[in-house]
Amino acid sequence: MRILIKFFSIFFLFFSTSLFAENYINVSYGITTNDLSITATRSTSITKDDDDEGFILSGGTLIGNSWGVDLMYYDLGSTSIKVDALDYVKIDNVEYEVQSGGTISNDISGYGIGLIGMSDADLISFYVKAGVHAWDKSGSTTILDNNNAFAGSFYSKGIGGYGGIGIGLNVIENITLNISYDIIGLSNNAQFDNASSILSGGLIFRF
């Protein structure tokens, strides 16, 4: 909730200083795919769920004729593994024993800022964007032999890179029906390692 409040505070401050430029808001919802790097060891098996549903709320202002600044908040849903007692799992080259059966999950969200290039066409429009973002994999577990050490790898936060492309149909004036693909890197080198992605549809409002 604090992340969302911070985002909207920046969001409204940003637009209040851009009243004489062309602004936009992009709301999209779709299917997410997340990189779940945890594996089973010692001939045990686990059930992974690395797909979910999520959304991106973004907005910005066009500084030039076809480029501008983009702000976004995203929620990519959850990833999880289902384990049984005495299973063994490995993440970041460290092995953990499962003490009791259950599901271990994390929730992925964050906010970012970047640049966007957007076409200006009557019927079909498209955009491409890239930037950096602060991501957070939140959650907790109590069913492993070393929960704190595991949490340092499975529940984490940092600064990564993101990029996206979209194509839209300008259905009426200032409203575009949009299909987009975004990739969101969940590593601390501002690149696209351990990436999540979202294929989504939504609406772009220009004002």
Side-chain angles (χ1 to χ4, degrees):
M1 179 60 69
R2 284 180 295 178
I3 291 177
L4 195 55
I5 293 173
K6 183 185 297 184
F7 171 79
F8 279 113
S9 298
I10 297 173
F11 190 83
F12 288 117
L13 177 62
F14 181 75
F15 283 121
S16 68
T17 60
S18 307
L19 294 178
F20 299 102
E22 181 179 358
N23 303 315
Y24 68 90
I25 295 176
N26 185 352
V27 181
S28 59
Y29 184 89
I31 304 299
T32 65
T33 301
N34 304 292
D35 185 359
L36 194 54
S37 58
I38 191 169
T39 59
T41 60
R42 302 196 191 188
S43 300
T44 60
S45 62
I46 60 176
T47 301
K48 294 185 178 182
D49 184 1
D50 55 9
D51 298 326
D52 204 352
E53 299 176 356
F55 70 88
I56 295 179
L57 171 62
S58 63
T61 186
L62 297 182
I63 300 173
N65 291 330
S66 60
W67 70 275
V69 178
D70 181 71
L71 300 173
M72 74 165 183
Y73 173 82
Y74 62 86
D75 187 322
L76 302 182
S78 303
T79 62
S80 66
I81 58 170
K82 186 177 181 180
V83 294
D84 296 319
L86 303 182
D87 282 346
Y88 288 86
V89 297
K90 179 183 286 188
I91 186 171
D92 290 344
N93 293 317
V94 179
E95 187 179 68
Y96 302 91
E97 180 182 355
V98 179
Q99 302 290 296
S100 60
T103 299
I104 303 172
S105 64
N106 59 26
D107 301 313
I108 304 171
S109 63
Y111 56 94
I113 184 170
L115 297 177
I116 186 168
M118 186 177 294
S119 70
D120 185 13
D122 292 333
L123 183 61
I124 303 296
S125 61
F126 67 90
Y127 69 81
V128 58
K129 63 180 181 178
V132 295
H133 67 104
W135 53 267
D136 184 15
K137 292 183 179 180
S138 60
S140 63
T141 186
T142 59
I143 63 174
L144 302 176
D145 60 343
N146 192 337
N147 297 301
N148 292 333
F150 179 84
S153 296
F154 195 67
Y155 309 111
S156 54
K157 60 181 64 178
I159 303 295
Y162 77 88
I165 57 174
I167 185 169
L169 176 65
N170 301 323
V171 289
I172 60 175
E173 185 179 3
N174 297 327
I175 298 180
T176 300
L177 183 63
N178 184 60
I179 297 175
S180 60
Y181 177 80
D182 293 87
I183 183 169
I184 298 175
L186 302 178
S187 65
N188 282 319
N189 55 10
Q191 297 182 7
F192 299 109
D193 300 332
N194 302 319
S196 294
S197 63
I198 177 170
L199 179 64
S200 60
L203 293 173
I204 298 177
F205 305 91
R206 301 172 186 255
F207 57 95

